[in-house]
Amino acid sequence: MSDGAALRVGMVGVGNISRQYLQHLPALPGLRLTAVADLDTERAATVAAEQGVLALGVDELLAHEDVDVVLNLTIPAAHASVALAALAAGKHVYGEKPLATSTAEAAPVLEQARAAGLRVGSAPDTVLGTGIQTARAALDDGAIGDPVGAAVAWSAPGHELWHPAPAFYYQPGGGPLLDMGPYYLTSLVAFFGPVVRVSGSATRSARARTVGSGPDAGAAIPVDVDTHVVAILEHEGGVVSTVTVSFEVWATRSPLFEVYGTAGTLAVPDPNAFSETASIATADDRTWRELPVRAGYADAGRGYGLADMAHAIATDRPHRASGDLAYHVLEVMEAVATAAREHTVVPVTSRPERAATVPLDARPDTW
């Protein structure tokens, strides 16, 4: 980091998701974008001109002295290789989810970071917003008594309906489990602690899929992943969560995310968003009421996990959207896939520390 000031950010990958990061980075004093790179050099040059930063080749960016941390927004298949190259160049790394396409790919990333004294962070950072953090505060305060179980049901017909280049969603590293699962699993681990064992089933339909928009509209999409996944997760403290994620559902009335306790039910807001509202219905009054905002980074957006990591580096504390947490979530997803394939119960061995709650008045550059 330069002179104790903002962490200088080099962004690798300026595709669809980068726009959300670019929207919020200027509002975070703990971060300063200095360079961008992409395999599409013309696109990188356009973004660089818009942002007033350097457009570099990937290798140039990784070696550049004006980059402290690499923001890795490449496709999942490239997450591990880019992270390892960045760490080898002496840079911290924060990446989009998943951490890698497998734990075998992810483990060397964490090992190399520890050996070099560098940080690894990973999306999703939506869990740090006021929605999930308020829900967690309510659980910690016993608002629904002792948690017993949780139910997640996320579904859609498929990302090809909106994404102009959706093929990677149907390749290893994609699918509804690795694409959408991290939002829900990260929240569940934040609520109840690590998962210790899983079981599950998965399938895929023979439905033909084609690109729905953009220059490749009408092109066929090969499907090499399961597109409907159901899992049962057992948490260290005894809570049992059921998780269904699917690219096969045209319409549903299933609850998105609920937690069931001995004294009530908590309706958890969408963990793919930062600031939606949690609701509660108790045994004494089974009428739903919204919970007031009590915790989390207010008005947050993508990039807040990186900002939290930057401030953690400056103050020598653990960062919340950590590589260890992302590795655990990846191990859980991998175990679900194994359980579905082998029709068995699979243990999960990693045990990340439960991150501290985000106080309501916190800013990622000042707390």
Side-chain angles (χ1 to χ4, degrees):
M1 189 179 295
S2 58
D3 303 321
L7 200 68
R8 298 168 297 182
V9 180
M11 179 184 289
V12 178
V14 291
N16 210 52
I17 193 66
S18 69
R19 290 293 172 183
Q20 296 186 45
Y21 283 88
L22 292 169
Q23 178 184 349
H24 292 282
L25 287 177
L28 296 168
L31 302 172
R32 179 166 65 89
L33 185 68
T34 57
V36 299
D38 195 278
L39 294 177
D40 185 334
T41 56
E42 184 176 335
R43 183 166 60 186
T46 298
V47 172
E50 292 172 353
Q51 300 296 318
V53 301
L54 297 172
L56 302 172
V58 174
D59 291 341
E60 290 179 291
L61 184 147
L62 297 181
H64 204 279
E65 63 180 10
D66 203 26
V67 171
D68 301 308
V69 59
V70 171
L71 177 55
N72 183 4
L73 305 183
T74 57
I75 63 172
H79 285 179
S81 60
V82 171
L84 287 169
L87 292 167
K91 315 298 187 187
H92 304 289
V93 178
Y94 184 94
E96 257 303 314
K97 47 77 187 167
L99 183 61
T101 59
S102 69
T103 55
E105 281 189 350
V109 173
L110 300 185
E111 292 166 4
Q112 186 166 319
R114 281 191 287 267
L118 296 167
R119 300 285 186 117
V120 174
S122 177
D125 53 0
T126 47
V127 70
L128 305 181
T130 54
I132 298 300
Q133 290 290 310
T134 292
R136 171 177 164 166
L139 290 169
D140 288 349
D141 288 348
I144 60 168
D146 296 326
V148 176
V152 164
W154 180 90
S155 61
H159 286 348
E160 67 272 19
L161 296 189
W162 61 270
H163 198 291
F168 72 92
Y169 287 115
Y170 295 94
Q171 300 302 308
L177 183 59
L178 266 71
D179 179 53
M180 297 304 298
Y183 297 111
Y184 296 91
L185 295 174
T186 303
S187 298
L188 288 168
V189 172
F191 291 163
F192 310 127
V195 176
V196 297
R197 65 185 61 85
V198 308
S199 55
S201 294
T203 189
R204 70 188 75 171
S205 72
R207 172 159 63 98
R209 295 180 186 265
T210 57
V211 180
S213 61
D216 296 325
I221 303 172
V223 177
D224 294 324
V225 294
D226 288 324
T227 51
H228 185 88
V229 182
V230 181
I232 300 173
L233 316 178
E234 300 176 46
H235 293 266
E236 193 171 41
V239 175
V240 176
S241 302
T242 59
V243 178
T244 299
V245 287
S246 181
F247 285 167
E248 298 288 356
V249 179
W250 293 100
T252 181
R253 293 180 178 178
S254 296
L256 186 67
F257 196 162
E258 292 180 343
V259 178
Y260 311 116
T262 55
T265 297
L266 175 69
V268 181
D270 183 357
N272 192 15
F274 286 86
S275 306
E276 294 189 357
T277 304
S279 298
I280 191 172
T282 65
D284 295 330
D285 178 6
R286 298 184 202 178
T287 303
W288 289 104
R289 60 180 176 86
E290 293 186 352
L291 292 176
V293 173
R294 296 188 43 205
Y297 290 129
D299 302 317
R302 281 177 170 80
Y304 269 65
L306 174 56
D308 181 272
M309 189 174 86
H311 192 253
I313 292 169
T315 56
D316 194 28
R317 65 165 175 83
H319 57 288
R320 293 179 175 88
S322 70
D324 287 337
L325 174 57
Y327 180 91
H328 178 69
V329 168
L330 180 59
E331 187 186 2
V332 170
M333 295 188 294
E334 198 171 72
V336 169
T338 300
R341 184 175 61 252
E342 299 181 0
H343 306 289
T344 188
V345 176
V346 178
V348 177
T349 60
S350 57
R351 297 288 185 274
E353 293 292 327
R354 190 169 182 247
T357 304
V358 179
L360 181 58
D361 59 352
R363 295 289 299 177
D365 53 292
T366 61
W367 187 89

